[in-house]
Amino acid sequence: MGEHPEDDFADYFRIHYPRLLAFVKRRVDDHETAQDICSESFLLAWKVLGCECTDSASWLYVTARNLIGTEYRRRAQKERLILAIGRISRSSLDSCEPTDLEIAMEALHIDDRAAVVLTYWLGLSAAEAAILCGCSEVAMWKRLSRERAQLRRLLSEL
């Protein structure tokens, strides 16, 4: 072990990052997500193990595998949410002539529509909706504010 733990960690990163990225990319189809998972794995290694992490790469791969599992669960949750929102939108549109609000809602991007549906139609708090959408509560509030403004604009055009 060298005199400076940061240098040892930098060497550890240089050696293991390309292999870890290849490992993650084989399991995650998005390059940016793979990079994020690798970065998070190294960050956790540094936080949890400090300079001790340079002794073994196995902890790094186990951490990456766990983060990949979290990503799969997040994606599955998002898919279920999109399907549920689609069912809610279709059932309300099938029942009668669509209202201006329903037409405006259909114009929103599916992720943004999710924020509105979860909070206003299903009555979830911003914190609960944020968990389902995989974002922070602050991001959810920003999304809701942006989508309310978009809905007001769309409704004024109808």
Side-chain angles (χ1 to χ4, degrees):
M1 179 128 22
E3 210 172 291
H4 302 285
E6 293 84 9
D7 293 338
D8 291 340
F9 190 80
D11 290 340
Y12 177 75
F13 181 86
R14 254 189 311 284
I15 292 167
H16 293 289
Y17 184 83
R19 287 182 256 180
L20 185 67
L21 182 60
F23 170 81
V24 174
K25 281 173 72 172
R26 284 191 299 272
R27 290 153 180 82
V28 178
D29 58 356
D30 178 50
H31 182 73
E32 287 181 15
T33 301
Q35 288 178 319
D36 289 346
I37 289 172
C38 286
S39 297
E40 184 71 14
S41 298
F42 278 100
L43 178 64
L44 288 170
W46 179 257
K47 283 181 177 179
V48 173
L49 303 175
C51 56
E52 303 294 320
C53 70
T54 59
D55 294 337
S56 169
S58 61
W59 192 91
L60 192 62
Y61 285 86
V62 168
T63 301
R65 189 187 70 216
N66 291 339
L67 291 171
I68 291 166
T70 300
E71 174 64 16
Y72 285 163
R73 286 187 295 281
R74 186 195 65 76
R75 287 180 181 185
Q77 190 173 39
K78 185 176 180 178
E79 289 294 321
R80 287 191 302 272
L81 180 61
I82 288 169
L83 291 172
I85 290 167
R87 283 192 302 272
I88 290 169
S89 296
R90 277 192 303 280
S91 68
S92 62
L93 288 175
D94 291 343
S95 62
C96 60
E97 282 298 308
T99 66
D100 287 348
L101 178 59
E102 290 168 329
I103 293 169
M105 287 290 292
E106 288 296 318
L108 298 178
H109 185 273
I110 188 72
D111 290 338
D112 299 327
R113 193 178 326 145
V116 175
V117 168
L118 289 171
T119 54
Y120 291 103
W121 278 343
L122 299 180
L124 298 180
S125 69
E128 294 166 327
I131 292 168
L132 288 174
C133 291
C135 65
S136 70
E137 184 176 355
V138 171
M140 179 56 64
W141 280 115
K142 287 180 182 178
R143 185 182 289 179
L144 285 168
S145 176
R146 184 181 65 237
E147 296 318 311
R148 282 192 303 259
Q150 171 112 355
L151 282 171
R152 278 192 295 274
R153 185 184 60 74
L154 290 167
L155 287 169
S156 71
E157 293 172 1
L158 294 175

